[in-house]
Amino acid sequence: MEEETTPEQIHADPGLIVDKIDSWLDGLFRLIPNIAVAFVVMVLFVVAGLLVGLGIRRMAHNRRRADLGAVIGSVARWAIWISGAMLALMILTPSIRPGDLIAGLGIGTVAIGFAFKDILQNLLSGILLLIRQPFAVGDQIVVGDYEGTVEHIQTRATLIKTYDGRRVVIPNADVYTDAVTVNTAFPIRRSQYDFGITYGSDTKLAMKVAVEAASGIERVMNDPGPEALSVDLGDFAKVVRLRWWTKSTRTDVVHVASDVMLAVEDTFRENGVEIPFPTRTLYLHDQTGGDAGDRATALPRSPGETDDGGA
């Protein structure tokens, strides 16, 4: 007959539990001074970080570098806070030595660098953009497929407002590594337009009156003044290129270009300079006779015209 087995009973010793809790409380009471000092240190570092960040932002704002002040102030604030947290941890846990903490921080920094590579890359690119200033807030730029006015350069991205009233957020790394066209880098900007004229029109006259028409527009610069060039002899037109200078802002460029084209159109009409339409000549011939396909015997005719001259 098999012997019955019973599970071993677990005996709880209340005295042991009380001793364990008592030791925890004793350790906590012994750490109270350390906790208080660590708390005070952390508060001081938090206040110091806020004050340093605010001071950097105010100083940069006075120098008209508000975005740079915001980024540098944020980095400085977090650096001070992290330093305070490390010091508070060493005060709270005296067994942690500064060398061990620095070594652990180094390993952690490498791990964080791999985990947040894109964020850190955008942060560094933003700082370099703000320091080197290839463009500033308020400039009108072209980045890739986007064109607009720079609103802010933040820690992660550059914000531009397109001309149709939309906001585009472009990562700083893309802005820093890609080609950027700064339309307002200089006070004035040149525009141009090609006008086609018929071969029966006088090219020199067309160039002369086009320059006169552009010079009469209010916002076209006199120095340098407008100029016209003969640039092409096309299939059905001669091409006169008119170039003029305006202020570099998008509003001036677009509106002045419209005024210039209207003025040149009017002055061409007044001086007998014709702007042609694309034309084609169709040769229709009978391909059933002996001279089928002979272009020398073909006569130009309208598409609906018959052999007897009727339609």
Side-chain angles (χ1 to χ4, degrees):
M1 186 174 180
E2 297 182 357
E3 296 181 358
E4 294 184 358
T5 59
T6 58
E8 185 179 353
Q9 295 182 351
I10 300 175
H11 298 281
D13 187 356
L16 182 61
I17 297 175
V18 172
D19 291 341
K20 193 67 175 177
I21 295 176
D22 185 61
S23 64
W24 287 348
L25 291 177
D26 289 341
L28 178 62
F29 287 132
R30 285 196 299 268
L31 283 177
I32 285 179
N34 291 12
I35 294 174
V37 174
F39 177 77
V40 172
V41 168
M42 195 63 213
V43 170
L44 292 176
F45 271 81
V46 168
V47 174
L50 293 173
L51 293 177
V52 170
L54 182 61
I56 293 175
R57 295 185 64 171
R58 285 185 176 180
M59 183 173 59
H61 182 74
N62 294 335
R63 297 184 180 182
R64 299 181 180 179
R65 304 288 296 274
D67 283 343
L68 178 60
V71 173
I72 299 298
S74 178
V75 172
R77 183 174 64 249
W78 278 101
I80 294 174
W81 287 353
I82 293 174
S83 300
M86 292 172 57
L87 182 58
L89 181 61
M90 287 188 294
I91 295 173
L92 188 62
T93 311
S95 60
I96 297 179
R97 294 177 299 178
D100 297 336
L101 191 59
I102 293 174
L105 182 62
I107 297 174
T109 301
V110 174
I112 292 173
F114 280 107
F116 299 96
K117 181 184 68 173
D118 293 338
I119 295 176
L120 295 176
Q121 185 178 8
N122 287 324
L123 173 61
L124 180 60
S125 298
I127 293 174
L128 292 176
L129 286 173
L130 289 167
I131 292 175
R132 296 185 177 182
Q133 276 196 311
F135 54 84
V137 174
D139 275 333
Q140 295 177 350
I141 65 173
V142 181
V143 183
D145 297 331
Y146 304 105
E147 180 176 358
T149 304
V150 179
E151 289 186 300
H152 295 289
I153 304 174
Q154 299 178 343
T155 55
R156 190 191 73 84
T158 297
L159 278 59
I160 67 172
K161 181 180 180 181
T162 60
Y163 302 128
D164 56 357
R166 295 180 295 171
R167 172 175 290 170
V168 181
V169 181
I170 307 175
N172 287 329
D174 294 342
V175 179
Y176 190 75
T177 56
D178 289 350
V180 179
T181 302
V182 185
N183 289 330
T184 53
F186 303 101
I188 60 175
R189 174 181 169 187
R190 191 185 71 188
S191 300
Q192 66 181 35
Y193 191 82
D194 292 343
F195 295 91
I197 62 175
T198 61
Y199 274 90
S201 300
D202 187 340
T203 304
K204 292 183 178 179
L205 175 62
M207 293 167 60
K208 177 176 178 294
V209 298
V211 170
E212 292 175 352
S215 300
I217 304 300
E218 181 180 357
R219 287 182 287 179
V220 172
M221 296 292 174
N222 295 323
D223 185 20
E227 63 175 348
L229 303 170
S230 179
V231 295
D232 191 20
L233 299 176
D235 296 335
F236 58 89
K238 298 180 288 186
V239 179
V240 173
R241 176 170 297 168
L242 180 63
R243 305 194 299 190
W244 65 93
W245 293 81
T246 63
K247 292 182 179 180
S248 57
T249 57
R250 174 77 175 183
T251 301
D252 282 275
V253 171
V254 172
H255 288 84
V256 172
S258 175
D259 294 340
V260 167
M261 284 188 281
L262 291 174
V264 171
E265 182 183 359
D266 292 339
T267 194
F268 276 1
R269 186 184 304 109
E270 294 171 0
N271 289 274
V273 178
E274 297 181 355
I275 299 177
F277 294 98
T279 57
R280 291 182 180 179
T281 302
L282 300 178
Y283 290 90
L284 303 179
H285 53 277
D286 185 6
Q287 297 186 2
T288 61
D291 58 350
D294 186 1
R295 295 179 60 86
T297 61
L299 295 176
R301 66 174 71 173
S302 302
E305 186 179 354
T306 61
D307 291 338
D308 59 358

mmCIF file of all heavy atoms in Angstrom, residues 242-280:
data_model
loop_
_atom_site.group_PDB
_atom_site.id
_atom_site.type_symbol
_atom_site.label_atom_id
_atom_site.label_comp_id
_atom_site.label_asym_id
_atom_site.label_seq_id
_atom_site.Cartn_x
_atom_site.Cartn_y
_atom_site.Cartn_z
ATOM 1 N N LEU A 242 13.770 89.464 -73.173
ATOM 2 C CA LEU A 242 13.794 90.698 -72.384
ATOM 3 C C LEU A 242 14.166 90.351 -70.948
ATOM 4 O O LEU A 242 13.579 89.442 -70.347
ATOM 5 C CB LEU A 242 12.427 91.376 -72.428
ATOM 6 C CG LEU A 242 12.284 92.686 -71.639
ATOM 7 C CD1 LEU A 242 13.215 93.767 -72.193
ATOM 8 C CD2 LEU A 242 10.830 93.167 -71.660
ATOM 9 N N ARG A 243 15.139 91.074 -70.390
ATOM 10 C CA ARG A 243 15.584 90.840 -69.010
ATOM 11 C C ARG A 243 15.492 92.144 -68.230
ATOM 12 O O ARG A 243 15.823 93.212 -68.749
ATOM 13 C CB ARG A 243 17.015 90.305 -68.994
ATOM 14 C CG ARG A 243 17.188 89.052 -69.834
ATOM 15 C CD ARG A 243 18.489 88.318 -69.565
ATOM 16 N NE ARG A 243 19.679 89.104 -69.851
ATOM 17 C CZ ARG A 243 20.915 88.600 -69.862
ATOM 18 N NH1 ARG A 243 21.100 87.311 -69.586
ATOM 19 N NH2 ARG A 243 21.953 89.361 -70.138
ATOM 20 N N TRP A 244 15.050 92.026 -66.972
ATOM 21 C CA TRP A 244 14.902 93.205 -66.127
ATOM 22 C C TRP A 244 15.139 92.806 -64.671
ATOM 23 O O TRP A 244 15.109 91.636 -64.313
ATOM 24 C CB TRP A 244 13.515 93.822 -66.304
ATOM 25 C CG TRP A 244 12.401 92.936 -65.841
ATOM 26 C CD1 TRP A 244 11.808 92.918 -64.608
ATOM 27 C CD2 TRP A 244 11.736 91.910 -66.610
ATOM 28 N NE1 TRP A 244 10.831 91.966 -64.551
ATOM 29 C CE2 TRP A 244 10.759 91.335 -65.757
ATOM 30 C CE3 TRP A 244 11.868 91.448 -67.919
ATOM 31 C CZ2 TRP A 244 9.928 90.320 -66.197
ATOM 32 C CZ3 TRP A 244 11.034 90.422 -68.344
ATOM 33 C CH2 TRP A 244 10.081 89.864 -67.491
ATOM 34 N N TRP A 245 15.380 93.803 -63.818
ATOM 35 C CA TRP A 245 15.687 93.581 -62.402
ATOM 36 C C TRP A 245 14.600 94.200 -61.531
ATOM 37 O O TRP A 245 14.099 95.292 -61.819
ATOM 38 C CB TRP A 245 17.037 94.199 -62.030
ATOM 39 C CG TRP A 245 18.206 93.519 -62.679
ATOM 40 C CD1 TRP A 245 18.659 93.705 -63.951
ATOM 41 C CD2 TRP A 245 19.063 92.550 -62.084
ATOM 42 N NE1 TRP A 245 19.750 92.917 -64.189
ATOM 43 C CE2 TRP A 245 20.029 92.188 -63.057
ATOM 44 C CE3 TRP A 245 19.135 91.950 -60.829
ATOM 45 C CZ2 TRP A 245 21.035 91.266 -62.817
ATOM 46 C CZ3 TRP A 245 20.132 91.027 -60.583
ATOM 47 C CH2 TRP A 245 21.066 90.692 -61.571
ATOM 48 N N THR A 246 14.259 93.474 -60.461
ATOM 49 C CA THR A 246 13.287 93.974 -59.478
ATOM 50 C C THR A 246 13.793 93.633 -58.085
ATOM 51 O O THR A 246 14.849 93.017 -57.921
ATOM 52 C CB THR A 246 11.914 93.305 -59.674
ATOM 53 O OG1 THR A 246 12.040 91.898 -59.434
ATOM 54 C CG2 THR A 246 11.382 93.534 -61.079
ATOM 55 N N LYS A 247 13.040 94.023 -57.062
ATOM 56 C CA LYS A 247 13.317 93.540 -55.715
ATOM 57 C C LYS A 247 13.142 92.022 -55.692
ATOM 58 O O LYS A 247 12.370 91.458 -56.471
ATOM 59 C CB LYS A 247 12.393 94.204 -54.704
ATOM 60 C CG LYS A 247 12.661 95.691 -54.520
ATOM 61 C CD LYS A 247 11.746 96.288 -53.457
ATOM 62 C CE LYS A 247 12.034 97.771 -53.251
ATOM 63 N NZ LYS A 247 11.140 98.363 -52.222
ATOM 64 N N SER A 248 13.842 91.374 -54.791
ATOM 65 C CA SER A 248 13.936 89.915 -54.845
ATOM 66 C C SER A 248 12.742 89.182 -54.237
ATOM 67 O O SER A 248 12.664 87.960 -54.351
ATOM 68 C CB SER A 248 15.213 89.455 -54.129
ATOM 69 O OG SER A 248 15.232 89.909 -52.789
ATOM 70 N N THR A 249 11.815 89.883 -53.608
ATOM 71 C CA THR A 249 10.675 89.201 -52.995
ATOM 72 C C THR A 249 9.739 88.652 -54.065
ATOM 73 O O THR A 249 9.636 89.186 -55.171
ATOM 74 C CB THR A 249 9.896 90.146 -52.077
ATOM 75 O OG1 THR A 249 9.480 91.282 -52.826
ATOM 76 C CG2 THR A 249 10.771 90.600 -50.909
ATOM 77 N N ARG A 250 9.061 87.573 -53.723
ATOM 78 C CA ARG A 250 8.178 86.891 -54.668
ATOM 79 C C ARG A 250 7.082 87.814 -55.190
ATOM 80 O O ARG A 250 6.747 87.789 -56.381
ATOM 81 C CB ARG A 250 7.560 85.678 -53.970
ATOM 82 C CG ARG A 250 6.501 84.943 -54.757
ATOM 83 C CD ARG A 250 7.086 84.089 -55.823
ATOM 84 N NE ARG A 250 6.061 83.303 -56.498
ATOM 85 C CZ ARG A 250 6.320 82.410 -57.447
ATOM 86 N NH1 ARG A 250 7.557 82.201 -57.824
ATOM 87 N NH2 ARG A 250 5.339 81.717 -58.003
ATOM 88 N N THR A 251 6.541 88.646 -54.332
ATOM 89 C CA THR A 251 5.459 89.540 -54.742
ATOM 90 C C THR A 251 5.922 90.478 -55.849
ATOM 91 O O THR A 251 5.230 90.657 -56.865
ATOM 92 C CB THR A 251 4.958 90.351 -53.534
ATOM 93 O OG1 THR A 251 4.492 89.451 -52.529
ATOM 94 C CG2 THR A 251 3.843 91.295 -53.938
ATOM 95 N N ASP A 252 7.075 91.089 -55.676
ATOM 96 C CA ASP A 252 7.582 91.996 -56.696
ATOM 97 C C ASP A 252 7.870 91.257 -57.997
ATOM 98 O O ASP A 252 7.542 91.748 -59.082
ATOM 99 C CB ASP A 252 8.851 92.681 -56.191
ATOM 100 C CG ASP A 252 8.555 93.806 -55.213
ATOM 101 O OD1 ASP A 252 8.302 94.926 -55.661
ATOM 102 O OD2 ASP A 252 8.573 93.549 -54.002
ATOM 103 N N VAL A 253 8.503 90.097 -57.907
ATOM 104 C CA VAL A 253 8.875 89.361 -59.114
ATOM 105 C C VAL A 253 7.646 89.006 -59.943
ATOM 106 O O VAL A 253 7.608 89.225 -61.164
ATOM 107 C CB VAL A 253 9.667 88.091 -58.732
ATOM 108 C CG1 VAL A 253 9.869 87.187 -59.943
ATOM 109 C CG2 VAL A 253 11.020 88.473 -58.146
ATOM 110 N N VAL A 254 6.609 88.467 -59.306
ATOM 111 C CA VAL A 254 5.434 87.995 -60.030
ATOM 112 C C VAL A 254 4.627 89.154 -60.605
ATOM 113 O O VAL A 254 4.252 89.152 -61.792
ATOM 114 C CB VAL A 254 4.567 87.126 -59.102
ATOM 115 C CG1 VAL A 254 3.238 86.781 -59.776
ATOM 116 C CG2 VAL A 254 5.299 85.853 -58.729
ATOM 117 N N HIS A 255 4.362 90.170 -59.798
ATOM 118 C CA HIS A 255 3.519 91.268 -60.268
ATOM 119 C C HIS A 255 4.216 92.122 -61.318
ATOM 120 O O HIS A 255 3.586 92.570 -62.291
ATOM 121 C CB HIS A 255 3.086 92.137 -59.080
ATOM 122 C CG HIS A 255 2.068 91.481 -58.200
ATOM 123 N ND1 HIS A 255 2.409 90.603 -57.191
ATOM 124 C CD2 HIS A 255 0.707 91.549 -58.180
ATOM 125 C CE1 HIS A 255 1.310 90.176 -56.579
ATOM 126 N NE2 HIS A 255 0.270 90.728 -57.171
ATOM 127 N N VAL A 256 5.504 92.365 -61.145
ATOM 128 C CA VAL A 256 6.224 93.152 -62.144
ATOM 129 C C VAL A 256 6.313 92.389 -63.461
ATOM 130 O O VAL A 256 6.200 92.983 -64.542
ATOM 131 C CB VAL A 256 7.625 93.529 -61.617
ATOM 132 C CG1 VAL A 256 8.452 94.170 -62.723
ATOM 133 C CG2 VAL A 256 7.504 94.492 -60.445
ATOM 134 N N ALA A 257 6.508 91.072 -63.408
ATOM 135 C CA ALA A 257 6.547 90.279 -64.644
ATOM 136 C C ALA A 257 5.242 90.404 -65.412
ATOM 137 O O ALA A 257 5.236 90.536 -66.645
ATOM 138 C CB ALA A 257 6.838 88.813 -64.311
ATOM 139 N N SER A 258 4.119 90.386 -64.715
ATOM 140 C CA SER A 258 2.823 90.559 -65.375
ATOM 141 C C SER A 258 2.722 91.942 -66.025
ATOM 142 O O SER A 258 2.282 92.071 -67.177
ATOM 143 C CB SER A 258 1.699 90.364 -64.360
ATOM 144 O OG SER A 258 0.441 90.636 -64.936
ATOM 145 N N ASP A 259 3.136 92.984 -65.299
ATOM 146 C CA ASP A 259 3.081 94.339 -65.856
ATOM 147 C C ASP A 259 3.986 94.481 -67.074
ATOM 148 O O ASP A 259 3.624 95.141 -68.063
ATOM 149 C CB ASP A 259 3.485 95.362 -64.787
ATOM 150 C CG ASP A 259 2.493 95.418 -63.634
ATOM 151 O OD1 ASP A 259 1.340 94.977 -63.827
ATOM 152 O OD2 ASP A 259 2.875 95.891 -62.538
ATOM 153 N N VAL A 260 5.169 93.879 -67.019
ATOM 154 C CA VAL A 260 6.103 93.974 -68.147
ATOM 155 C C VAL A 260 5.524 93.294 -69.377
ATOM 156 O O VAL A 260 5.576 93.847 -70.498
ATOM 157 C CB VAL A 260 7.460 93.356 -67.752
ATOM 158 C CG1 VAL A 260 8.335 93.151 -68.999
ATOM 159 C CG2 VAL A 260 8.182 94.248 -66.769
ATOM 160 N N MET A 261 4.958 92.107 -69.243
ATOM 161 C CA MET A 261 4.410 91.404 -70.401
ATOM 162 C C MET A 261 3.243 92.164 -71.033
ATOM 163 O O MET A 261 3.129 92.254 -72.262
ATOM 164 C CB MET A 261 3.984 89.996 -69.989
ATOM 165 C CG MET A 261 5.154 89.040 -69.809
ATOM 166 S SD MET A 261 4.681 87.325 -69.537
ATOM 167 C CE MET A 261 4.235 87.400 -67.806
ATOM 168 N N LEU A 262 2.394 92.748 -70.195
ATOM 169 C CA LEU A 262 1.289 93.539 -70.732
ATOM 170 C C LEU A 262 1.803 94.776 -71.461
ATOM 171 O O LEU A 262 1.307 95.133 -72.547
ATOM 172 C CB LEU A 262 0.345 93.949 -69.602
ATOM 173 C CG LEU A 262 -0.472 92.823 -68.955
ATOM 174 C CD1 LEU A 262 -1.253 93.353 -67.758
ATOM 175 C CD2 LEU A 262 -1.418 92.195 -69.976
ATOM 176 N N ALA A 263 2.804 95.446 -70.906
ATOM 177 C CA ALA A 263 3.349 96.646 -71.528
ATOM 178 C C ALA A 263 4.027 96.325 -72.859
ATOM 179 O O ALA A 263 3.873 97.052 -73.848
ATOM 180 C CB ALA A 263 4.334 97.326 -70.582
ATOM 181 N N VAL A 264 4.779 95.222 -72.913
ATOM 182 C CA VAL A 264 5.452 94.842 -74.160
ATOM 183 C C VAL A 264 4.425 94.450 -75.219
ATOM 184 O O VAL A 264 4.574 94.791 -76.405
ATOM 185 C CB VAL A 264 6.435 93.687 -73.895
ATOM 186 C CG1 VAL A 264 6.983 93.138 -75.209
ATOM 187 C CG2 VAL A 264 7.586 94.171 -73.021
ATOM 188 N N GLU A 265 3.393 93.758 -74.836
ATOM 189 C CA GLU A 265 2.343 93.397 -75.786
ATOM 190 C C GLU A 265 1.714 94.640 -76.403
ATOM 191 O O GLU A 265 1.493 94.710 -77.633
ATOM 192 C CB GLU A 265 1.281 92.553 -75.080
ATOM 193 C CG GLU A 265 0.162 92.083 -75.990
ATOM 194 C CD GLU A 265 -0.909 91.308 -75.242
ATOM 195 O OE1 GLU A 265 -0.755 91.129 -74.022
ATOM 196 O OE2 GLU A 265 -1.895 90.902 -75.890
ATOM 197 N N ASP A 266 1.425 95.629 -75.577
ATOM 198 C CA ASP A 266 0.826 96.866 -76.087
ATOM 199 C C ASP A 266 1.783 97.616 -77.009
ATOM 200 O O ASP A 266 1.385 98.104 -78.075
ATOM 201 C CB ASP A 266 0.406 97.764 -74.924
ATOM 202 C CG ASP A 266 -0.759 97.191 -74.131
ATOM 203 O OD1 ASP A 266 -1.475 96.335 -74.690
ATOM 204 O OD2 ASP A 266 -0.937 97.582 -72.955
ATOM 205 N N THR A 267 3.041 97.727 -76.610
ATOM 206 C CA THR A 267 3.993 98.493 -77.428
ATOM 207 C C THR A 267 4.312 97.773 -78.735
ATOM 208 O O THR A 267 4.573 98.416 -79.758
ATOM 209 C CB THR A 267 5.266 98.790 -76.626
ATOM 210 O OG1 THR A 267 6.019 99.795 -77.300
ATOM 211 C CG2 THR A 267 6.133 97.568 -76.474
ATOM 212 N N PHE A 268 4.291 96.446 -78.747
ATOM 213 C CA PHE A 268 4.457 95.710 -80.005
ATOM 214 C C PHE A 268 3.299 96.029 -80.955
ATOM 215 O O PHE A 268 3.510 96.252 -82.150
ATOM 216 C CB PHE A 268 4.512 94.209 -79.728
ATOM 217 C CG PHE A 268 5.879 93.697 -79.348
ATOM 218 C CD1 PHE A 268 6.961 94.563 -79.241
ATOM 219 C CD2 PHE A 268 6.088 92.343 -79.112
ATOM 220 C CE1 PHE A 268 8.224 94.100 -78.883
ATOM 221 C CE2 PHE A 268 7.349 91.866 -78.764
ATOM 222 C CZ PHE A 268 8.414 92.746 -78.652
ATOM 223 N N ARG A 269 2.095 96.044 -80.430
ATOM 224 C CA ARG A 269 0.923 96.327 -81.261
ATOM 225 C C ARG A 269 1.000 97.745 -81.835
ATOM 226 O O ARG A 269 0.679 97.974 -83.007
ATOM 227 C CB ARG A 269 -0.350 96.143 -80.440
ATOM 228 C CG ARG A 269 -1.629 96.269 -81.254
ATOM 229 C CD ARG A 269 -2.873 96.169 -80.389
ATOM 230 N NE ARG A 269 -2.890 94.930 -79.626
ATOM 231 C CZ ARG A 269 -2.716 94.853 -78.314
ATOM 232 N NH1 ARG A 269 -2.482 95.971 -77.623
ATOM 233 N NH2 ARG A 269 -2.753 93.711 -77.692
ATOM 234 N N GLU A 270 1.422 98.686 -81.003
ATOM 235 C CA GLU A 270 1.495 100.085 -81.454
ATOM 236 C C GLU A 270 2.579 100.305 -82.508
ATOM 237 O O GLU A 270 2.463 101.189 -83.357
ATOM 238 C CB GLU A 270 1.769 100.990 -80.252
ATOM 239 C CG GLU A 270 0.628 101.030 -79.248
ATOM 240 C CD GLU A 270 1.025 101.752 -77.969
ATOM 241 O OE1 GLU A 270 2.193 102.207 -77.889
ATOM 242 O OE2 GLU A 270 0.181 101.850 -77.057
ATOM 243 N N ASN A 271 3.639 99.507 -82.493
ATOM 244 C CA ASN A 271 4.757 99.701 -83.416
ATOM 245 C C ASN A 271 4.776 98.678 -84.550
ATOM 246 O O ASN A 271 5.788 98.563 -85.256
ATOM 247 C CB ASN A 271 6.086 99.625 -82.644
ATOM 248 C CG ASN A 271 6.304 100.826 -81.743
ATOM 249 O OD1 ASN A 271 6.817 101.853 -82.155
ATOM 250 N ND2 ASN A 271 5.882 100.689 -80.481
ATOM 251 N N GLY A 272 3.708 97.935 -84.709
ATOM 252 C CA GLY A 272 3.615 97.009 -85.834
ATOM 253 C C GLY A 272 4.471 95.768 -85.705
ATOM 254 O O GLY A 272 4.771 95.120 -86.719
ATOM 255 N N VAL A 273 4.881 95.411 -84.507
ATOM 256 C CA VAL A 273 5.638 94.178 -84.286
ATOM 257 C C VAL A 273 4.634 93.072 -83.983
ATOM 258 O O VAL A 273 3.880 93.160 -83.014
ATOM 259 C CB VAL A 273 6.644 94.333 -83.132
ATOM 260 C CG1 VAL A 273 7.376 93.024 -82.892
ATOM 261 C CG2 VAL A 273 7.630 95.452 -83.423
ATOM 262 N N GLU A 274 4.622 92.050 -84.815
ATOM 263 C CA GLU A 274 3.618 91.000 -84.694
ATOM 264 C C GLU A 274 4.143 89.813 -83.879
ATOM 265 O O GLU A 274 5.295 89.405 -84.033
ATOM 266 C CB GLU A 274 3.186 90.517 -86.081
ATOM 267 C CG GLU A 274 2.525 91.596 -86.923
ATOM 268 C CD GLU A 274 2.093 91.065 -88.276
ATOM 269 O OE1 GLU A 274 2.401 89.879 -88.561
ATOM 270 O OE2 GLU A 274 1.462 91.812 -89.035
ATOM 271 N N ILE A 275 3.269 89.299 -83.013
ATOM 272 C CA ILE A 275 3.554 88.087 -82.255
ATOM 273 C C ILE A 275 2.841 86.945 -82.966
ATOM 274 O O ILE A 275 1.608 86.944 -83.070
ATOM 275 C CB ILE A 275 3.075 88.205 -80.798
ATOM 276 C CG1 ILE A 275 3.793 89.366 -80.094
ATOM 277 C CG2 ILE A 275 3.299 86.908 -80.036
ATOM 278 C CD1 ILE A 275 3.326 89.610 -78.669
ATOM 279 N N PRO A 276 3.574 85.961 -83.499
ATOM 280 C CA PRO A 276 2.946 84.950 -84.357
ATOM 281 C C PRO A 276 2.277 83.841 -83.554
ATOM 282 O O PRO A 276 2.534 83.646 -82.371
ATOM 283 C CB PRO A 276 4.133 84.397 -85.152
ATOM 284 C CG PRO A 276 5.265 84.489 -84.178
ATOM 285 C CD PRO A 276 5.025 85.736 -83.367
ATOM 286 N N PHE A 277 1.421 83.125 -84.269
ATOM 287 C CA PHE A 277 0.871 81.878 -83.760
ATOM 288 C C PHE A 277 1.591 80.722 -84.453
ATOM 289 O O PHE A 277 2.055 80.862 -85.587
ATOM 290 C CB PHE A 277 -0.635 81.790 -84.045
ATOM 291 C CG PHE A 277 -1.450 82.809 -83.302
ATOM 292 C CD1 PHE A 277 -1.841 83.992 -83.910
ATOM 293 C CD2 PHE A 277 -1.819 82.584 -81.987
ATOM 294 C CE1 PHE A 277 -2.587 84.934 -83.216
ATOM 295 C CE2 PHE A 277 -2.565 83.515 -81.287
ATOM 296 C CZ PHE A 277 -2.952 84.690 -81.911
ATOM 297 N N PRO A 278 1.686 79.576 -83.827
ATOM 298 C CA PRO A 278 2.283 78.421 -84.517
ATOM 299 C C PRO A 278 1.482 78.076 -85.763
ATOM 300 O O PRO A 278 0.249 77.985 -85.725
ATOM 301 C CB PRO A 278 2.204 77.298 -83.477
ATOM 302 C CG PRO A 278 2.109 78.003 -82.166
ATOM 303 C CD PRO A 278 1.342 79.265 -82.439
ATOM 304 N N THR A 279 2.138 77.944 -86.921
ATOM 305 C CA THR A 279 1.463 77.650 -88.189
ATOM 306 C C THR A 279 2.079 76.410 -88.834
ATOM 307 O O THR A 279 3.265 76.127 -88.666
ATOM 308 C CB THR A 279 1.579 78.832 -89.161
ATOM 309 O OG1 THR A 279 2.974 79.123 -89.369
ATOM 310 C CG2 THR A 279 0.885 80.063 -88.601
ATOM 311 N N ARG A 280 1.244 75.713 -89.614
ATOM 312 C CA ARG A 280 1.687 74.556 -90.386
ATOM 313 C C ARG A 280 1.103 74.640 -91.789
ATOM 314 O O ARG A 280 -0.024 75.086 -91.977
ATOM 315 C CB ARG A 280 1.245 73.243 -89.731
ATOM 316 C CG ARG A 280 1.939 72.926 -88.420
ATOM 317 C CD ARG A 280 1.477 71.583 -87.888
ATOM 318 N NE ARG A 280 2.144 71.268 -86.632
ATOM 319 C CZ ARG A 280 1.903 70.157 -85.932
ATOM 320 N NH1 ARG A 280 1.020 69.268 -86.380
ATOM 321 N NH2 ARG A 280 2.549 69.926 -84.808
#
